[in-house]
Amino acid sequence: MGGVPINPVVVDSLARLLARLLRFEGPADATMSRHFKADRRLGPRERSVVAEAAFGALRRLATLRWVMQTADPVRAPHLAALIELARQHGIDSLGPRLLRGDERAVRGALSLDLALAPAAVRAEVPTWLFQKITVQYHDAQQLLEALARAAPLDLRVNTIKIDRDSVLAEFKSAFKSSAGSTRSGGAPLHAEATRYSPDGIRLRDKPALTRWPMYKDGRIEVQDEGSQLVARLAAPRRGQMVVDFCAGAGGKTLAIGSLMKSTGRIYAFDVNAKRLAGLGPRLARSGLSNVHPVAIRSAADSRVKRLAAKIDRVVVDAPCSGSGTLRRNPDLKWRFDEGELERLTGVQSDLLRASARLVKPGGRLVYATCSVLSVENQDIVSTFLAEHPDFTALPAAEVLGGQGIRIEDAERFAPWFVMLPHLHDTDGFFAAVLERDA
């Protein structure tokens, strides 16, 4: 068994969790958090096995459904749990006592040749998403394979408190226990500077960062490297006025505030007050004094309108399919459909138009998504530019190049900013830098 603690409690807990997850009634991480709080039978290692198996089932749900044939993972979660554990750890890790009357079904599922499955099933995505990606990308297979893998953990160094080299040095001297807290005597933590972001650090392990002093005192934040670069595209200057139009929990807001050295004024707008409330503790840790969170009713809120043509930099991190984040959020591909995509593209267009009204002459607007689909990205921006001749798309590579950042394959997507997991080992991101005529 190689030390992997697979026992009846693990199988039962995973089956119960899959029964909840596969109804897709909400984000997987929230469902899992509630499940583990309720299931007190699991020790730390058992909880880790259940969590990894659950995420594995979500990442490879298409093939799990296919190998189960006439059985349905939702209606047969115990069998689905056994198959997924066998896929990850081998059938010998289960043993006769756990398999009991299901051994034949499990062995049958594992014996099926996935090469015979439909292409979308092998790619582990819904058919509609498979079709859109394969039409759009000549290297679709590599992209889909990358989206099906787990993502590393990226951090952003809060440079108003500390520099990256100092954090890396601290990581090199830190050690981790089996519970994830740092202490001497454990295995060295593997940390490295990110390839593109000057402020990023990548961890190959996933320790319990929230316990660490450097997280508690705001020296580091969790943020994907691609997201860090979107903040860099705003290229804010000290003393400027900035609006983060869909701030959410404020990852890009805090990154921009750090780039501005806590000068100027940043309005963090969002229509979801609960989501925006997540910015509060992060802002307190950050040490920034230039960020002002505002829960708005809509893009037509009077507090938004009064800023018309006054803002130096506007960032619109538009709600989207999240198709670029499937490495971290594999449930999204099963919770999202073409109907929701059509609805969101209307929202994206409206947000881009509304946010453009805030940009002062000579100011810049950054439209960004964590989607890999052109219908949410290039198509939205191209339509906007056709309607707004007073805005011009700046080459994103030049904006980043002015900050000493060079990205491979930038010319392939010019003038847009595009990051993809199979090319850059980040989440999938798109951004356009639009400048208003002076």
Side-chain angles (χ1 to χ4, degrees), residues 131-194:
Q131 291 171 343
K132 287 188 178 295
I133 288 177
T134 52
V135 167
Q136 184 177 333
Y137 294 95
H138 66 77
D139 48 356
Q141 181 177 344
Q142 293 90 334
L143 172 56
L144 289 163
E145 288 173 353
L147 286 171
R149 291 193 287 267
L153 178 63
D154 289 349
L155 308 175
R156 179 184 58 81
V157 175
N158 181 3
T159 54
I160 69 168
K161 288 193 169 187
I162 195 170
D163 62 82
R164 182 166 68 175
D165 287 344
S166 297
V167 174
L168 283 169
E170 188 167 339
F171 273 126
K172 286 180 181 179
S173 65
F175 295 84
K176 59 176 184 175
S177 69
S178 60
S181 58
T182 54
R183 63 172 178 84
S184 60
L189 185 68
H190 180 74
E192 60 189 12
T194 47

Side-chain angles (χ1 to χ4, degrees), residues 270-423:
D270 204 287
V271 295
N272 189 322
K274 184 177 180 180
R275 187 165 57 225
L276 190 62
L279 172 57
R282 301 175 75 185
L283 179 57
R285 291 195 303 268
S286 74
L288 296 173
S289 60
N290 61 340
V291 176
H292 304 273
V294 182
I296 58 175
R297 291 184 294 274
S298 71
D301 193 298
S302 60
R303 290 166 293 182
V304 176
K305 287 184 175 181
R306 67 183 176 84
L307 298 176
K310 296 179 180 178
I311 305 301
D312 298 287
R313 301 285 189 267
V314 176
V315 176
V316 183
D317 186 7
C320 68
S321 65
S323 52
T325 69
L326 298 183
R327 302 186 308 166
R328 302 180 195 281
N329 306 300
D331 56 311
L332 273 181
K333 57 189 171 185
W334 309 114
R335 292 196 291 118
F336 197 86
D337 58 28
E338 284 186 283
E340 180 65 5
L341 179 63
E342 184 176 355
R343 185 193 70 82
L344 270 183
T345 54
V347 172
Q348 292 157 356
S349 295
D350 291 343
L351 279 172
L352 183 51
R353 294 188 192 99
S355 61
R357 300 186 189 107
L358 306 187
V359 182
K360 68 190 297 185
R364 291 181 184 176
L365 166 63
V366 177
Y367 172 84
T369 76
C370 53
S371 170
V372 299
L373 303 178
S374 59
V375 69
E376 300 182 86
N377 300 330
Q378 292 93 333
D379 295 356
I380 296 290
V381 176
S382 295
T383 299
F384 170 83
L385 290 173
E387 297 171 349
H388 297 77
D390 55 330
F391 279 86
T392 303
L394 300 181
E398 291 184 11
V399 175
L400 293 176
Q403 301 171 63
I405 301 169
R406 300 285 185 275
I407 297 176
E408 297 93 338
D409 298 291
E411 66 281 355
R412 171 179 168 184
F413 305 103
W416 320 120
F417 167 83
V418 175
M419 300 291 280
L420 296 169
H422 67 299
L423 297 178

